[in-house]
Amino acid sequence: DAKTTQPPSMDCAEGRAANLPCNHSTISGNEYVYWYRQIHSQGPQYIIHGLKNNETNEMASLIITEDRKSSTLILPHATLRDTAVYYCIVRVGNYGQNFVFGPGTRLSVLP
Amino acid sequence: DAMVIQNPRYQVTQFGKPVTLSCSQTLNHNVMYWYQQKSSQAPKLLFHYYDKDFNNEADTPDNFQSRRPNTSFCFLDIRSPGLGDAAMYLCATSKGGRASDTQYFGPGTRLTVL
């Protein structure tokens, strides 16, 4: 079973920040949080991952709470092309063999 | 500069007729994975190879097999496809061996069973 819970759907206005929450209350100390997204009929696309510290790259920012029980993915200026299913995954195992996908959040960016 | 390549992108087979899906990678990654994704569901891991070491998930049906002849290629064989095997099949790769190990996915092969 997935170790994460996410809202099933969210809407965001184009140009606004999209904040996607994820709960992972049973996360262990050495488990990373990964975010992927999947645009319709394509393979999942890696976005970002982190352990404890907040992370930022060209696509998004990842904010992890101090107790590590939840995180938020931030798309700073959402575009229509960001419409996708976003998956928050807590990776277990030595080399990621247990990448268990939950149902994800369907983000709709509205014009 | 494609990194994980899956062929074909669309495959149609008949009920019970064996089918093979292929995946190749240019990343020289140690680990290759196969996922099944049915309509409106999340991807589900079927099995993976760490180098030549095959690791099957406990609930993967025996109908699904895999081969990895070399580092770059991995195949998914479905011996006798049923209607319930119609799905998107996703290949992914990762370096392996680290606590932080990102998986990179191919575009998927959509399998139709008639």
Side-chain angles (χ1 to χ4, degrees):
Chain A
D1 291 345
K3 296 182 68 169
T4 61
T5 57
Q6 300 174 252
S9 64
M10 292 181 65
D11 292 338
C12 176
E14 189 178 17
R16 296 294 191 108
N19 298 289
L20 293 94
C22 178
N23 286 322
H24 30 81
S25 57
T26 60
I27 195 168
S28 298
N30 63 344
E31 292 174 342
Y32 282 74
V33 180
Y34 281 78
W35 283 84
Y36 283 76
R37 72 181 183 185
Q38 189 171 27
I39 296 169
H40 182 64
S41 294
Q42 298 182 21
Q45 177 190 22
Y46 167 76
I47 302 173
I48 200 166
H49 73 283
L51 182 62
K52 290 190 249 189
N53 300 322
N54 297 338
E55 302 286 347
T56 296
N57 63 21
E58 65 278 3
M59 287 183 70
S61 295
L62 174 60
I63 309 298
I64 302 174
T65 57
E66 194 168 341
D67 63 8
R68 303 213 320 122
K69 293 185 176 182
S70 65
S71 60
T72 301
L73 178 74
I74 301 173
L75 308 178
H77 305 287
T79 72
L80 299 179
R81 288 179 294 180
D82 292 323
T83 292
V85 178
Y86 287 77
Y87 296 103
C88 169
I89 303 165
V90 171
R91 183 187 155 278
V92 299
N94 291 332
Y95 49 90
Q97 71 273 27
N98 288 338
F99 238 45
V100 180
F101 284 78
T105 294
R106 182 171 298 278
L107 175 69
S108 298
V109 180
L110 307 174
Chain B
D1 55 340
M3 297 184 292
V4 183
I5 302 156
Q6 292 190 245
N7 285 308
R9 293 293 311 278
Y10 300 90
Q11 176 75 54
V12 180
T13 190
Q14 291 181 328
F15 183 93
K17 184 174 181 182
V19 66
T20 295
L21 309 181
S22 74
C23 176
S24 63
Q25 53 133 339
T26 59
L27 298 163
N28 203 33
H29 280 173
N30 295 311
V31 193
M32 295 187 76
Y33 310 80
W34 280 103
Y35 289 82
Q36 179 192 63
Q37 185 175 25
K38 295 188 176 180
S39 181
S40 301
Q41 296 183 19
K44 181 177 178 301
L45 182 65
L46 294 173
F47 29 56
H48 72 279
Y49 273 95
Y50 194 128
D51 292 330
K52 296 182 181 180
D53 185 23
F54 178 71
N55 298 273
N56 201 27
E57 292 300 298
D59 55 355
T60 298
D62 293 340
N63 198 26
F64 292 86
Q65 306 281 318
S66 186
R67 296 171 283 135
R68 190 179 185 185
N70 54 52
T71 299
S72 300
F73 285 86
C74 195
F75 299 99
L76 169 62
D77 300 309
I78 308 176
R79 292 193 296 187
S80 181
L83 298 179
D85 297 326
M88 173 82 87
Y89 289 90
L90 296 160
C91 174
T93 74
S94 70
K95 280 188 184 177
R98 303 178 301 172
S100 164
D101 193 38
T102 299
Q103 292 190 17
Y104 297 93
F105 285 80
T109 294
R110 184 167 297 281
L111 178 69
T112 299
V113 181
L114 301 177

mmCIF file of all heavy atoms in Angstrom, chain A residues 50-92:
data_model
loop_
_atom_site.group_PDB
_atom_site.id
_atom_site.type_symbol
_atom_site.label_atom_id
_atom_site.label_comp_id
_atom_site.label_asym_id
_atom_site.label_seq_id
_atom_site.Cartn_x
_atom_site.Cartn_y
_atom_site.Cartn_z
ATOM 1 N N GLY A 50 13.091 14.998 -1.949
ATOM 2 C CA GLY A 50 13.789 15.554 -0.804
ATOM 3 C C GLY A 50 13.706 14.625 0.390
ATOM 4 O O GLY A 50 12.886 13.708 0.438
ATOM 5 N N LEU A 51 14.565 14.904 1.360
ATOM 6 C CA LEU A 51 14.608 14.102 2.582
ATOM 7 C C LEU A 51 14.122 14.916 3.772
ATOM 8 O O LEU A 51 13.173 14.547 4.442
ATOM 9 C CB LEU A 51 16.036 13.606 2.831
ATOM 10 C CG LEU A 51 16.245 12.721 4.053
ATOM 11 C CD1 LEU A 51 15.443 11.430 3.935
ATOM 12 C CD2 LEU A 51 17.716 12.421 4.259
ATOM 13 N N LYS A 52 14.801 16.013 4.055
ATOM 14 C CA LYS A 52 14.446 16.844 5.207
ATOM 15 C C LYS A 52 14.317 18.315 4.823
ATOM 16 O O LYS A 52 13.417 19.002 5.230
ATOM 17 C CB LYS A 52 15.525 16.735 6.278
ATOM 18 C CG LYS A 52 15.618 15.424 6.975
ATOM 19 C CD LYS A 52 16.556 15.531 8.158
ATOM 20 C CE LYS A 52 17.808 14.741 7.921
ATOM 21 N NZ LYS A 52 18.652 14.632 9.114
ATOM 22 N N ASN A 53 15.282 18.756 4.020
ATOM 23 C CA ASN A 53 15.335 20.173 3.688
ATOM 24 C C ASN A 53 14.406 20.497 2.542
ATOM 25 O O ASN A 53 14.067 19.634 1.731
ATOM 26 C CB ASN A 53 16.768 20.561 3.305
ATOM 27 C CG ASN A 53 17.735 20.304 4.437
ATOM 28 O OD1 ASN A 53 17.414 20.515 5.596
ATOM 29 N ND2 ASN A 53 18.914 19.824 4.083
ATOM 30 N N ASN A 54 14.004 21.741 2.471
ATOM 31 C CA ASN A 54 13.234 22.192 1.321
ATOM 32 C C ASN A 54 14.120 22.158 0.082
ATOM 33 O O ASN A 54 15.327 22.397 0.162
ATOM 34 C CB ASN A 54 12.711 23.613 1.581
ATOM 35 C CG ASN A 54 11.768 23.659 2.767
ATOM 36 O OD1 ASN A 54 11.185 22.644 3.162
ATOM 37 N ND2 ASN A 54 11.629 24.828 3.345
ATOM 38 N N GLU A 55 13.518 21.849 -1.033
ATOM 39 C CA GLU A 55 14.260 21.736 -2.278
ATOM 40 C C GLU A 55 13.589 22.569 -3.363
ATOM 41 O O GLU A 55 12.373 22.738 -3.347
ATOM 42 C CB GLU A 55 14.314 20.274 -2.739
ATOM 43 C CG GLU A 55 14.924 19.302 -1.753
ATOM 44 C CD GLU A 55 16.438 19.415 -1.657
ATOM 45 O OE1 GLU A 55 17.052 20.065 -2.525
ATOM 46 O OE2 GLU A 55 17.002 18.839 -0.688
ATOM 47 N N THR A 56 14.394 23.064 -4.262
ATOM 48 C CA THR A 56 13.865 23.826 -5.402
ATOM 49 C C THR A 56 14.656 23.464 -6.643
ATOM 50 O O THR A 56 15.880 23.297 -6.579
ATOM 51 C CB THR A 56 13.982 25.345 -5.147
ATOM 52 O OG1 THR A 56 13.167 25.697 -4.045
ATOM 53 C CG2 THR A 56 13.529 26.149 -6.358
ATOM 54 N N ASN A 57 13.948 23.331 -7.746
ATOM 55 C CA ASN A 57 14.611 23.184 -9.049
ATOM 56 C C ASN A 57 13.848 24.012 -10.066
ATOM 57 O O ASN A 57 12.968 24.811 -9.705
ATOM 58 C CB ASN A 57 14.754 21.707 -9.447
ATOM 59 C CG ASN A 57 13.425 21.002 -9.625
ATOM 60 O OD1 ASN A 57 12.386 21.635 -9.835
ATOM 61 N ND2 ASN A 57 13.458 19.684 -9.538
ATOM 62 N N GLU A 58 14.163 23.821 -11.328
ATOM 63 C CA GLU A 58 13.561 24.654 -12.357
ATOM 64 C C GLU A 58 12.073 24.392 -12.537
ATOM 65 O O GLU A 58 11.369 25.196 -13.132
ATOM 66 C CB GLU A 58 14.292 24.461 -13.694
ATOM 67 C CG GLU A 58 14.177 23.076 -14.286
ATOM 68 C CD GLU A 58 15.155 22.070 -13.689
ATOM 69 O OE1 GLU A 58 15.897 22.443 -12.749
ATOM 70 O OE2 GLU A 58 15.146 20.922 -14.163
ATOM 71 N N MET A 59 11.610 23.277 -12.030
ATOM 72 C CA MET A 59 10.195 22.941 -12.214
ATOM 73 C C MET A 59 9.342 23.342 -11.024
ATOM 74 O O MET A 59 8.196 23.779 -11.190
ATOM 75 C CB MET A 59 10.027 21.433 -12.427
ATOM 76 C CG MET A 59 10.485 20.918 -13.763
ATOM 77 S SD MET A 59 10.162 19.163 -13.939
ATOM 78 C CE MET A 59 8.377 19.144 -14.057
ATOM 79 N N ALA A 60 9.872 23.136 -9.805
ATOM 80 C CA ALA A 60 9.010 23.269 -8.629
ATOM 81 C C ALA A 60 9.840 23.438 -7.363
ATOM 82 O O ALA A 60 11.059 23.336 -7.387
ATOM 83 C CB ALA A 60 8.146 22.006 -8.507
ATOM 84 N N SER A 61 9.107 23.675 -6.271
ATOM 85 C CA SER A 61 9.701 23.680 -4.936
ATOM 86 C C SER A 61 9.009 22.627 -4.093
ATOM 87 O O SER A 61 7.813 22.353 -4.282
ATOM 88 C CB SER A 61 9.545 25.043 -4.271
ATOM 89 O OG SER A 61 10.277 26.027 -4.967
ATOM 90 N N LEU A 62 9.776 22.040 -3.196
ATOM 91 C CA LEU A 62 9.246 21.035 -2.291
ATOM 92 C C LEU A 62 9.483 21.519 -0.871
ATOM 93 O O LEU A 62 10.635 21.772 -0.482
ATOM 94 C CB LEU A 62 9.946 19.690 -2.521
ATOM 95 C CG LEU A 62 9.605 18.557 -1.553
ATOM 96 C CD1 LEU A 62 8.128 18.231 -1.594
ATOM 97 C CD2 LEU A 62 10.445 17.319 -1.875
ATOM 98 N N ILE A 63 8.390 21.642 -0.128
ATOM 99 C CA ILE A 63 8.458 22.066 1.268
ATOM 100 C C ILE A 63 8.097 20.874 2.131
ATOM 101 O O ILE A 63 7.004 20.315 1.993
ATOM 102 C CB ILE A 63 7.477 23.229 1.551
ATOM 103 C CG1 ILE A 63 7.656 24.360 0.532
ATOM 104 C CG2 ILE A 63 7.657 23.727 2.987
ATOM 105 C CD1 ILE A 63 9.014 25.012 0.553
ATOM 106 N N ILE A 64 9.015 20.472 3.000
ATOM 107 C CA ILE A 64 8.793 19.328 3.883
ATOM 108 C C ILE A 64 8.702 19.862 5.308
ATOM 109 O O ILE A 64 9.569 20.634 5.745
ATOM 110 C CB ILE A 64 9.937 18.305 3.758
ATOM 111 C CG1 ILE A 64 10.062 17.831 2.310
ATOM 112 C CG2 ILE A 64 9.707 17.118 4.684
ATOM 113 C CD1 ILE A 64 11.256 16.923 2.049
ATOM 114 N N THR A 65 7.665 19.463 6.026
ATOM 115 C CA THR A 65 7.518 19.937 7.402
ATOM 116 C C THR A 65 8.644 19.394 8.277
ATOM 117 O O THR A 65 9.273 18.382 7.962
ATOM 118 C CB THR A 65 6.162 19.515 7.988
ATOM 119 O OG1 THR A 65 6.042 18.082 7.919
ATOM 120 C CG2 THR A 65 5.023 20.153 7.224
ATOM 121 N N GLU A 66 8.839 20.071 9.389
ATOM 122 C CA GLU A 66 9.961 19.707 10.247
ATOM 123 C C GLU A 66 9.843 18.276 10.775
ATOM 124 O O GLU A 66 10.846 17.573 10.918
ATOM 125 C CB GLU A 66 10.057 20.684 11.429
ATOM 126 C CG GLU A 66 11.365 20.591 12.183
ATOM 127 C CD GLU A 66 11.550 21.743 13.154
ATOM 128 O OE1 GLU A 66 10.868 22.778 12.984
ATOM 129 O OE2 GLU A 66 12.369 21.595 14.063
ATOM 130 N N ASP A 67 8.617 17.837 11.064
ATOM 131 C CA ASP A 67 8.433 16.458 11.535
ATOM 132 C C ASP A 67 8.390 15.457 10.387
ATOM 133 O O ASP A 67 8.263 14.250 10.615
ATOM 134 C CB ASP A 67 7.170 16.334 12.394
ATOM 135 C CG ASP A 67 5.889 16.643 11.621
ATOM 136 O OD1 ASP A 67 5.947 16.814 10.387
ATOM 137 O OD2 ASP A 67 4.838 16.716 12.252
ATOM 138 N N ARG A 68 8.470 15.945 9.173
ATOM 139 C CA ARG A 68 8.510 15.138 7.937
ATOM 140 C C ARG A 68 7.230 14.358 7.680
ATOM 141 O O ARG A 68 7.207 13.469 6.843
ATOM 142 C CB ARG A 68 9.709 14.194 7.938
ATOM 143 C CG ARG A 68 11.024 14.861 8.099
ATOM 144 C CD ARG A 68 12.183 14.212 7.382
ATOM 145 N NE ARG A 68 12.165 12.766 7.438
ATOM 146 C CZ ARG A 68 12.148 12.005 6.350
ATOM 147 N NH1 ARG A 68 12.147 12.538 5.140
ATOM 148 N NH2 ARG A 68 12.152 10.697 6.469
ATOM 149 N N LYS A 69 6.171 14.680 8.359
ATOM 150 C CA LYS A 69 4.948 13.922 8.170
ATOM 151 C C LYS A 69 4.095 14.451 7.027
ATOM 152 O O LYS A 69 3.076 13.838 6.670
ATOM 153 C CB LYS A 69 4.135 13.911 9.465
ATOM 154 C CG LYS A 69 4.826 13.127 10.575
ATOM 155 C CD LYS A 69 3.960 13.008 11.807
ATOM 156 C CE LYS A 69 4.673 12.133 12.847
ATOM 157 N NZ LYS A 69 3.861 11.933 14.069
ATOM 158 N N SER A 70 4.475 15.544 6.469
ATOM 159 C CA SER A 70 3.746 16.041 5.298
ATOM 160 C C SER A 70 4.667 16.919 4.453
ATOM 161 O O SER A 70 5.732 17.345 4.923
ATOM 162 C CB SER A 70 2.507 16.834 5.702
ATOM 163 O OG SER A 70 2.876 18.008 6.387
ATOM 164 N N SER A 71 4.244 17.126 3.224
ATOM 165 C CA SER A 71 5.018 17.978 2.329
ATOM 166 C C SER A 71 4.075 18.674 1.363
ATOM 167 O O SER A 71 2.902 18.288 1.229
ATOM 168 C CB SER A 71 6.078 17.176 1.562
ATOM 169 O OG SER A 71 5.476 16.168 0.768
ATOM 170 N N THR A 72 4.582 19.704 0.705
ATOM 171 C CA THR A 72 3.809 20.447 -0.279
ATOM 172 C C THR A 72 4.668 20.679 -1.507
ATOM 173 O O THR A 72 5.818 21.138 -1.393
ATOM 174 C CB THR A 72 3.350 21.806 0.272
ATOM 175 O OG1 THR A 72 2.560 21.599 1.433
ATOM 176 C CG2 THR A 72 2.540 22.581 -0.760
ATOM 177 N N LEU A 73 4.121 20.348 -2.643
ATOM 178 C CA LEU A 73 4.773 20.654 -3.911
ATOM 179 C C LEU A 73 4.212 21.976 -4.398
ATOM 180 O O LEU A 73 2.995 22.160 -4.444
ATOM 181 C CB LEU A 73 4.487 19.560 -4.941
ATOM 182 C CG LEU A 73 5.078 19.798 -6.325
ATOM 183 C CD1 LEU A 73 6.593 19.556 -6.300
ATOM 184 C CD2 LEU A 73 4.407 18.925 -7.372
ATOM 185 N N ILE A 74 5.086 22.892 -4.772
ATOM 186 C CA ILE A 74 4.651 24.198 -5.242
ATOM 187 C C ILE A 74 5.099 24.402 -6.680
ATOM 188 O O ILE A 74 6.302 24.326 -6.989
ATOM 189 C CB ILE A 74 5.233 25.326 -4.358
ATOM 190 C CG1 ILE A 74 4.788 25.143 -2.907
ATOM 191 C CG2 ILE A 74 4.791 26.699 -4.886
ATOM 192 C CD1 ILE A 74 5.445 26.095 -1.931
ATOM 193 N N LEU A 75 4.122 24.624 -7.556
ATOM 194 C CA LEU A 75 4.410 25.058 -8.926
ATOM 195 C C LEU A 75 4.196 26.563 -8.920
ATOM 196 O O LEU A 75 3.056 27.023 -8.795
ATOM 197 C CB LEU A 75 3.472 24.378 -9.918
ATOM 198 C CG LEU A 75 3.375 22.858 -9.852
ATOM 199 C CD1 LEU A 75 2.362 22.350 -10.878
ATOM 200 C CD2 LEU A 75 4.724 22.217 -10.074
ATOM 201 N N PRO A 76 5.233 27.363 -9.039
ATOM 202 C CA PRO A 76 5.115 28.794 -8.740
ATOM 203 C C PRO A 76 4.191 29.570 -9.675
ATOM 204 O O PRO A 76 3.499 30.480 -9.224
ATOM 205 C CB PRO A 76 6.549 29.298 -8.818
ATOM 206 C CG PRO A 76 7.304 28.268 -9.569
ATOM 207 C CD PRO A 76 6.619 26.972 -9.362
ATOM 208 N N HIS A 77 4.182 29.218 -10.943
ATOM 209 C CA HIS A 77 3.332 29.926 -11.902
ATOM 210 C C HIS A 77 2.718 28.891 -12.832
ATOM 211 O O HIS A 77 3.274 28.579 -13.877
ATOM 212 C CB HIS A 77 4.142 30.942 -12.711
ATOM 213 C CG HIS A 77 4.897 31.925 -11.877
ATOM 214 N ND1 HIS A 77 4.291 32.951 -11.201
ATOM 215 C CD2 HIS A 77 6.224 32.013 -11.583
ATOM 216 C CE1 HIS A 77 5.202 33.648 -10.532
ATOM 217 N NE2 HIS A 77 6.381 33.097 -10.743
ATOM 218 N N ALA A 78 1.587 28.348 -12.419
ATOM 219 C CA ALA A 78 1.007 27.234 -13.153
ATOM 220 C C ALA A 78 0.572 27.650 -14.557
ATOM 221 O O ALA A 78 0.021 28.738 -14.760
ATOM 222 C CB ALA A 78 -0.177 26.668 -12.387
ATOM 223 N N THR A 79 0.828 26.773 -15.513
ATOM 224 C CA THR A 79 0.360 26.965 -16.884
ATOM 225 C C THR A 79 -0.589 25.834 -17.252
ATOM 226 O O THR A 79 -0.677 24.827 -16.538
ATOM 227 C CB THR A 79 1.524 26.997 -17.885
ATOM 228 O OG1 THR A 79 2.050 25.666 -18.004
ATOM 229 C CG2 THR A 79 2.627 27.941 -17.431
ATOM 230 N N LEU A 80 -1.268 25.993 -18.370
ATOM 231 C CA LEU A 80 -2.217 24.969 -18.807
ATOM 232 C C LEU A 80 -1.508 23.632 -18.997
ATOM 233 O O LEU A 80 -2.094 22.562 -18.796
ATOM 234 C CB LEU A 80 -2.908 25.398 -20.096
ATOM 235 C CG LEU A 80 -3.741 26.690 -20.014
ATOM 236 C CD1 LEU A 80 -4.358 27.016 -21.377
ATOM 237 C CD2 LEU A 80 -4.816 26.589 -18.951
ATOM 238 N N ARG A 81 -0.224 23.676 -19.367
ATOM 239 C CA ARG A 81 0.532 22.445 -19.584
ATOM 240 C C ARG A 81 0.868 21.710 -18.294
ATOM 241 O O ARG A 81 1.368 20.582 -18.338
ATOM 242 C CB ARG A 81 1.812 22.740 -20.355
ATOM 243 C CG ARG A 81 1.566 23.076 -21.819
ATOM 244 C CD ARG A 81 2.852 23.376 -22.539
ATOM 245 N NE ARG A 81 3.493 24.585 -22.039
ATOM 246 C CZ ARG A 81 4.624 25.074 -22.504
ATOM 247 N NH1 ARG A 81 5.276 24.464 -23.464
ATOM 248 N NH2 ARG A 81 5.138 26.184 -22.012
ATOM 249 N N ASP A 82 0.600 22.346 -17.157
ATOM 250 C CA ASP A 82 0.828 21.675 -15.882
ATOM 251 C C ASP A 82 -0.367 20.821 -15.461
ATOM 252 O O ASP A 82 -0.315 20.160 -14.417
ATOM 253 C CB ASP A 82 1.123 22.717 -14.792
ATOM 254 C CG ASP A 82 2.460 23.404 -15.003
ATOM 255 O OD1 ASP A 82 3.424 22.727 -15.443
ATOM 256 O OD2 ASP A 82 2.548 24.628 -14.736
ATOM 257 N N THR A 83 -1.417 20.842 -16.231
ATOM 258 C CA THR A 83 -2.566 19.977 -15.948
ATOM 259 C C THR A 83 -2.125 18.527 -16.063
ATOM 260 O O THR A 83 -1.634 18.090 -17.118
ATOM 261 C CB THR A 83 -3.715 20.264 -16.921
ATOM 262 O OG1 THR A 83 -4.233 21.580 -16.659
ATOM 263 C CG2 THR A 83 -4.830 19.247 -16.767
ATOM 264 N N ALA A 84 -2.262 17.776 -14.968
ATOM 265 C CA ALA A 84 -1.733 16.415 -14.911
ATOM 266 C C ALA A 84 -2.170 15.773 -13.598
ATOM 267 O O ALA A 84 -2.752 16.429 -12.732
ATOM 268 C CB ALA A 84 -0.202 16.420 -14.992
ATOM 269 N N VAL A 85 -1.861 14.484 -13.458
ATOM 270 C CA VAL A 85 -1.981 13.809 -12.160
ATOM 271 C C VAL A 85 -0.626 13.879 -11.481
ATOM 272 O O VAL A 85 0.394 13.512 -12.077
ATOM 273 C CB VAL A 85 -2.439 12.354 -12.317
ATOM 274 C CG1 VAL A 85 -2.499 11.667 -10.950
ATOM 275 C CG2 VAL A 85 -3.793 12.287 -13.007
ATOM 276 N N TYR A 86 -0.606 14.357 -10.250
ATOM 277 C CA TYR A 86 0.628 14.514 -9.481
ATOM 278 C C TYR A 86 0.681 13.449 -8.393
ATOM 279 O O TYR A 86 -0.242 13.299 -7.603
ATOM 280 C CB TYR A 86 0.695 15.914 -8.878
ATOM 281 C CG TYR A 86 0.992 16.962 -9.913
ATOM 282 C CD1 TYR A 86 -0.003 17.394 -10.787
ATOM 283 C CD2 TYR A 86 2.265 17.483 -10.064
ATOM 284 C CE1 TYR A 86 0.268 18.336 -11.772
ATOM 285 C CE2 TYR A 86 2.547 18.434 -11.035
ATOM 286 C CZ TYR A 86 1.548 18.849 -11.888
ATOM 287 O OH TYR A 86 1.822 19.769 -12.866
ATOM 288 N N TYR A 87 1.781 12.712 -8.389
ATOM 289 C CA TYR A 87 1.968 11.632 -7.433
ATOM 290 C C TYR A 87 3.052 12.001 -6.426
ATOM 291 O O TYR A 87 4.154 12.389 -6.803
ATOM 292 C CB TYR A 87 2.400 10.338 -8.135
ATOM 293 C CG TYR A 87 1.399 9.754 -9.084
ATOM 294 C CD1 TYR A 87 1.548 9.889 -10.461
ATOM 295 C CD2 TYR A 87 0.312 9.022 -8.612
ATOM 296 C CE1 TYR A 87 0.631 9.323 -11.336
ATOM 297 C CE2 TYR A 87 -0.602 8.450 -9.478
ATOM 298 C CZ TYR A 87 -0.433 8.605 -10.845
ATOM 299 O OH TYR A 87 -1.320 8.044 -11.705
ATOM 300 N N CYS A 88 2.703 11.823 -5.167
ATOM 301 C CA CYS A 88 3.660 11.955 -4.064
ATOM 302 C C CYS A 88 3.994 10.535 -3.630
ATOM 303 O O CYS A 88 3.094 9.735 -3.370
ATOM 304 C CB CYS A 88 3.010 12.745 -2.939
ATOM 305 S SG CYS A 88 3.891 12.745 -1.386
ATOM 306 N N ILE A 89 5.273 10.204 -3.593
ATOM 307 C CA ILE A 89 5.684 8.829 -3.315
ATOM 308 C C ILE A 89 6.750 8.838 -2.234
ATOM 309 O O ILE A 89 7.712 9.610 -2.306
ATOM 310 C CB ILE A 89 6.270 8.176 -4.583
ATOM 311 C CG1 ILE A 89 5.259 8.226 -5.730
ATOM 312 C CG2 ILE A 89 6.697 6.740 -4.316
ATOM 313 C CD1 ILE A 89 5.875 7.946 -7.080
ATOM 314 N N VAL A 90 6.549 7.987 -1.244
ATOM 315 C CA VAL A 90 7.615 7.749 -0.277
ATOM 316 C C VAL A 90 8.303 6.466 -0.690
ATOM 317 O O VAL A 90 7.681 5.406 -0.760
ATOM 318 C CB VAL A 90 7.068 7.638 1.157
ATOM 319 C CG1 VAL A 90 8.162 7.162 2.106
ATOM 320 C CG2 VAL A 90 6.527 8.981 1.607
ATOM 321 N N ARG A 91 9.534 6.584 -0.991
ATOM 322 C CA ARG A 91 10.288 5.484 -1.515
ATOM 323 C C ARG A 91 10.831 4.635 -0.385
ATOM 324 O O ARG A 91 11.421 5.144 0.543
ATOM 325 C CB ARG A 91 11.434 6.036 -2.360
ATOM 326 C CG ARG A 91 12.267 5.018 -3.039
ATOM 327 C CD ARG A 91 13.450 5.698 -3.697
ATOM 328 N NE ARG A 91 14.529 4.766 -3.852
ATOM 329 C CZ ARG A 91 15.392 4.447 -2.894
ATOM 330 N NH1 ARG A 91 15.322 5.022 -1.725
ATOM 331 N NH2 ARG A 91 16.325 3.556 -3.114
ATOM 332 N N VAL A 92 10.641 3.341 -0.511
ATOM 333 C CA VAL A 92 11.208 2.427 0.479
ATOM 334 C C VAL A 92 12.094 1.428 -0.228
ATOM 335 O O VAL A 92 12.008 1.253 -1.432
ATOM 336 C CB VAL A 92 10.108 1.695 1.282
ATOM 337 C CG1 VAL A 92 9.258 2.685 2.044
ATOM 338 C CG2 VAL A 92 9.246 0.844 0.366
#
